[in-house]
Amino acid sequence: MNNDGASHGLIQWHGTTIIGVRKGGKTVIAGDGQVSMGNTVMKPNARKVRRIGEGGKVIAGFAGATADAFTLFERLERKLEQYRGQLMRAAVELAKDWRTDKYLRNLEALMIVADADTLLVLTGNGDVLEPEGAAGGDSQITAIGSGGNYALAAARAIDAYESDAETIARKAMQVAADICVFTNDRVTVETI
């Protein structure tokens, strides 16, 4: 990538912020709505967090190229059908395909996915990462995207003082929106 944001002659679409928080038997994935191209906001209200799978029992959020993420959502839904709603198994199988399939290997996105029992980050390197519990607590927190580190740091700081997963996610997203120019305050939240 050169200094003007171009890679391979194309302008890159810049990130987002997606956070996943699991605490007190509740799991939340929240994401902002901004889509940027270079230094221009192209859309302020994109929906990057959604329910997938049979009965909407899985929630997912993405950072990266939108078309690539939708392809991955569709593939994950198929894997969920194939493995009868078992998120961990479906995620591992998707990650294998993502890493080895010639077409999927070129997709540029990261995903946070969750069901009632599991919170995971999926990457194109074949990684299926389950976030470690926060220090001294029962919560799991993870974040991706250009503002992900800001949201992650804020959520970890808030975690010790807040018992509600959704409140932690919303406050962390606000911090990320205040700091990251590629993140806005139009937040979509899904809870399981």
Side-chain angles (χ1 to χ4, degrees):
M1 183 180 295
N2 63 33
N3 291 336
D4 67 358
S7 174
H8 309 293
L10 302 173
I11 295 175
Q12 293 295 300
W13 292 81
H14 280 286
T16 191
T17 302
I18 304 292
I19 187 164
V21 178
R22 182 176 169 81
K23 185 170 187 167
K26 185 177 179 183
T27 303
V28 173
I29 296 180
D32 77 310
Q34 183 168 307
V35 175
S36 305
M37 187 170 77
N39 294 324
T40 304
V41 175
M42 300 301 290
K43 184 174 183 176
N45 60 347
R47 186 170 169 83
K48 302 172 199 169
V49 176
R50 59 192 59 230
R51 290 184 174 278
I52 62 174
E54 185 180 334
K57 294 179 182 173
V58 172
I59 52 177
F62 72 88
T66 305
D68 293 355
F70 285 131
T71 299
L72 292 167
F73 279 165
E74 289 171 8
R75 294 283 180 121
L76 181 58
E77 283 188 299
R78 280 191 237 141
K79 295 292 184 186
L80 285 166
E81 277 180 27
Q82 183 179 356
Y83 296 107
R84 296 187 180 105
Q86 297 175 42
L87 178 60
M88 181 65 82
R89 178 83 189 270
V92 168
E93 294 302 321
L94 174 65
K96 283 183 196 176
D97 290 352
W98 194 354
R99 184 167 181 247
T100 59
D101 182 272
K102 195 173 192 175
Y103 169 72
L104 293 177
R105 240 189 334 230
N106 293 317
L107 300 182
E108 296 181 10
L110 291 168
M111 297 173 69
I112 296 178
V113 297
D115 64 11
D117 303 312
T118 310
L119 176 65
L120 303 168
V121 176
L122 307 179
T123 77
N125 294 330
D127 300 316
V128 178
L129 307 170
E130 188 169 14
E132 194 173 298
D138 69 338
S139 56
Q140 292 177 301
I141 302 169
T142 192
I144 57 175
S146 58
N149 287 337
Y150 306 118
L152 180 61
R156 285 185 176 174
I158 297 164
D159 181 54
Y161 307 101
E162 179 57 58
S163 60
D164 181 61
E166 184 173 339
T167 301
I168 294 168
R170 286 185 181 278
K171 287 181 178 180
M173 288 299 298
Q174 185 58 56
V175 169
D178 289 347
I179 297 170
C180 178
V181 297
F182 298 113
T183 302
N184 70 14
D185 60 1
R186 296 190 187 177
V187 176
T188 300
V189 176
E190 290 288 349
T191 304
I192 288 185

